[in-house]
Amino acid sequence: DLSAPTPEKTSGKETLYGGILARCEPGVGSSINITECKNYGDLITQDPYTTAIGGILGNVPNGHHVIISGCENFGNVANNSSAAPEGFKEGYAGGIGGLLYGNSDGIIIRNCINHADLRASGTTLGDYGGILGRGRPALITGCVNEGSITFEGSGTAQGLLIGGISGGMYNGGTITDCSNKGAILSNKKTVQRMGGITGTMSSGTCTVRNCTNEAPVSIIHSENNGNWRGIGGICGYQENSDAAVIENCTNKGAITISCPSTTTHVNLIGAGGIMGTCKLNMSFSGNVNEGSVTANISGDAANFAGGLVGYMYAGKSSSDKVKASVNGATAGILAGNNCGTFSGCSVAGSVNGTAINDANIVSLAAGTNTGSISGTMLWK
């Protein structure tokens, strides 16, 4: 077990923690394989200089190739730092890897399982994932997260990306054939991007395929704030990742955001069964949402709830399915707000208590619609 108290440091030195390795640098043209390793020890810290924590591997600096396969983590991970020195305001944590930056071959994590919980109560911003905190880029395939991910406590975090598999996808990356079984919860009044599989798809061409989320994803707090949010059953938020893809994924977890908000930010608040907020061109196809979607927002903030996408700025959806109750100020069985394209989708359930039927299926498809919706049919 690792239990690190707040150290007395006078220089800007990062602190890294790993159940097997804290840091890995195989060198240019080389790679390291971490295979069939298991960690049973808890990794718990209050160190304000903490940059990365991984149940197996804490950190890979930029430009290296590392493969993690067949590994398991049983040790709980907790970053309880309550303050961070100037310049050390980011923390990353994952059940398998913390902050892993690869070379052109990227980081590969395959057939790994996290059995343990991830918890954070500090004020730092960062990425938290059941398998990986942040990868740039990373391929995650055949992995399972069983632990809950909870970010709560007093104080205001600066910005959070939380996902059942990966907190953030950057410079491209792919998540395939993975499943999340752990509940995800935050009570922080901050900008948040939270998803059952990944918190955000940002930069490069990111892909999530054949993945399943079985657990609830929730933002719940009572303190008023002016922050925007994106929360979804598969992904919370997409930006700077043109041509991103989510296909053949299933969400079964309830998606809930309940808080007071006065945000006037252009991104607003989006809650969706598959994606919370879609900013750029991307494609959805063959996805299924069976989890309820609720945006319970008091205050003046615009907010959107959709059975598939909360706010669709752009992008297209085809042959996706929804069977869920959707509730929110601006809500639709497909999208809360649609500026993109939906075609050939099947729907069932209700919008703000009104059951979907042949007579209202068109009017309840989207809360507001300036895009295109065609061929929507009842899912029987």
Side-chain angles (χ1 to χ4, degrees):
D1 289 3
L2 176 151
S3 182
T6 301
E8 295 182 1
K9 293 185 178 179
T10 57
S11 61
K13 298 293 185 180
E14 64 182 0
T15 309
L16 307 170
Y17 301 104
I20 301 300
L21 289 172
R23 188 177 183 121
C24 184
E25 298 183 64
V28 178
S30 300
S31 64
I32 286 182
N33 290 273
I34 303 172
T35 305
E36 297 183 2
C37 294
K38 296 181 181 181
N39 173 57
Y40 293 90
D42 291 341
L43 293 100
I44 300 171
T45 179
Q46 297 180 6
D47 183 350
Y49 290 84
T50 298
T51 299
I53 307 175
I56 299 298
L57 174 60
N59 174 248
V60 175
N62 192 42
H64 299 277
H65 184 44
V66 175
I67 301 170
I68 306 172
S69 60
C71 294
E72 296 182 67
N73 176 54
F74 295 85
N76 295 317
V77 175
N79 183 354
N80 297 323
S81 171
S82 60
E86 187 65 31
F88 283 82
K89 296 180 179 179
E90 299 191 9
Y92 304 87
I96 299 297
L99 176 62
L100 311 184
Y101 281 2
N103 59 14
S104 58
D105 294 318
I107 301 295
I108 299 174
I109 304 176
R110 60 191 178 205
N111 303 327
C112 293
I113 304 173
N114 175 55
H115 304 275
D117 294 337
L118 278 74
R119 298 188 180 277
S121 60
T123 58
T124 60
L125 61 84
D127 300 10
Y128 296 80
I131 298 298
L132 175 62
R134 177 184 288 191
R136 194 178 72 178
L139 166 64
I140 307 173
T141 182
C143 295
V144 178
N145 174 56
E146 297 178 346
S148 63
I149 305 173
T150 306
F151 206 117
E152 59 185 351
S154 61
T156 302
Q158 299 179 46
L160 298 171
L161 284 62
I162 305 174
I165 299 299
S166 176
M169 300 174 69
Y170 283 77
N171 290 32
T174 299
I175 302 175
T176 66
D177 303 296
C178 293
S179 63
N180 174 58
K181 301 179 181 181
I184 302 171
L185 169 66
S186 173
N187 74 350
K188 293 293 188 179
K189 57 173 188 177
T190 186
V191 173
Q192 297 188 64
R193 309 172 188 181
M194 294 171 51
I197 298 299
T198 185
T200 192
M201 304 169 82
S202 180
S203 69
T205 301
C206 302
T207 300
V208 179
R209 180 180 292 117
N210 301 331
C211 292
T212 300
N213 174 52
E214 301 179 13
V217 183
S218 309
I219 299 173
I220 300 174
H221 65 80
S222 58
E223 295 180 271
N224 196 21
N225 70 98
N227 295 304
W228 57 272
R229 320 289 176 76
I231 179 173
I234 300 300
C235 180
Y237 185 84
Q238 176 244 15
E239 66 173 349
N240 303 324
S241 181
D242 217 13
V245 174
I246 298 179
E247 64 180 15
N248 299 327
C249 292
T250 299
N251 174 58
K252 299 180 180 180
I255 307 305
T256 305
I257 177 168
S258 179
C259 66
S261 180
T262 57
T263 186
T264 57
H265 195 282
V266 64
N267 294 325
L268 308 174
I269 296 173
I274 298 298
M275 168 76 79
T277 300
C278 170
K279 288 282 290 183
L280 297 175
N281 288 319
M282 69 174 295
S283 63
F284 303 86
S285 63
N287 301 297
V288 177
N289 174 46
E290 297 178 342
S292 63
V293 180
T294 302
N296 178 20
I297 309 298
S298 58
D300 299 329
N303 60 93
F304 304 89
L308 288 173
V309 183
Y311 200 118
M312 179 89 103
Y313 283 89
K316 60 183 180 180
S317 163
S318 62
S319 303
D320 293 309
K321 296 181 178 181
V322 179
K323 185 182 291 184
S325 63
V326 181
N327 297 277
T330 305
I333 197 66
L334 292 177
N337 183 83
N338 174 46
C339 303
T341 301
F342 287 86
S343 62
C345 295
S346 301
V347 299
S350 63
V351 176
N352 289 329
T354 300
I356 300 294
N357 56 41
D358 287 322
N360 62 27
I361 191 171
V362 174
S363 63
L364 294 182
T368 58
N369 178 39
T370 57
S372 172
I373 300 177
S374 62
T376 307
M377 63 196 83
L378 288 177
W379 184 11
K380 299 178 180 180

